[in-house]
Amino acid sequence: MQHTAFVTELFVQASHINFGGHLAHDALLGLLQEARMRFLARHGYSEKSENGVGIIMLAVQVRYLSQAYWGDCLRVRVSPEGGTRVKALLSYQVVQSENEILVARASTEFAFYDYHRQRPVRMPDSLRPLFD
């Protein structure tokens, strides 16, 4: 798969810091969600649309490679890695912008989901080219 990655920058905030003085696991998941929302918005989609159809998270995997600290600017690269009729996979690369140190690699698998009917639905046609 050779789709162009989406890149955005996010800052580590005080509320993202854990007792060890570095970026907390739950905060990184929030940053990945923000990057994913920006990626989807770029393509005219959201995590939950007005008609009740959106995405539901199935799995997340994170591999930490270094620490990030309060005030760090993180460059998050979001890349579509494939999909099926109802599911899609995104990969993430999180890098400290200032010194190019790789902080983490991650992936998320999600399904397209009708929250009104409480069931999976087909991937929207508008997103299919991103994940094929």
Side-chain angles (χ1 to χ4, degrees):
M1 170 149 325
Q2 289 291 47
H3 293 296
T4 303
F6 170 79
V7 179
T8 191
E9 289 190 337
L10 301 166
F11 286 89
V12 178
Q13 300 175 18
S15 62
H16 297 154
I17 302 302
N18 66 13
F19 67 90
H22 58 260
L23 179 63
H25 174 71
D26 61 330
L28 178 67
L29 294 178
L31 293 172
L32 296 178
Q33 180 179 15
E34 179 66 28
R36 181 175 56 253
M37 289 176 71
R38 291 179 185 187
F39 166 79
L40 292 170
R42 171 71 55 91
H43 297 286
Y45 199 71
S46 68
E47 287 194 333
K48 188 170 182 188
S49 63
E50 296 77 32
N51 63 2
V53 174
I55 67 170
I56 191 166
M57 201 57 52
L58 301 174
V60 63
Q61 181 177 22
V62 177
R63 175 143 182 101
Y64 295 96
L65 300 155
S66 66
Q67 297 176 42
Y69 302 96
W70 175 81
D72 283 351
C73 179
L74 302 178
R75 188 172 58 249
V76 183
R77 177 181 302 271
V78 182
S79 301
E81 296 294 337
T84 67
R85 191 172 58 85
V86 297
K87 293 190 276 188
L89 182 68
L90 290 174
S91 68
Y92 308 80
Q93 183 179 26
V94 182
V95 175
Q96 288 181 359
S97 295
E98 183 178 320
N99 54 23
E100 299 296 317
I101 292 175
L102 184 59
V103 174
R105 293 183 195 273
S107 64
T108 54
E109 181 184 22
F110 55 90
F112 296 91
Y113 197 76
D114 184 328
Y115 281 88
H116 295 305
R117 296 183 182 151
Q118 293 292 300
R119 65 180 181 88
V121 295
R122 287 184 169 269
M123 180 185 299
D125 291 338
S126 61
L127 292 179
R128 172 65 54 203
L130 287 172
F131 294 99
D132 281 342

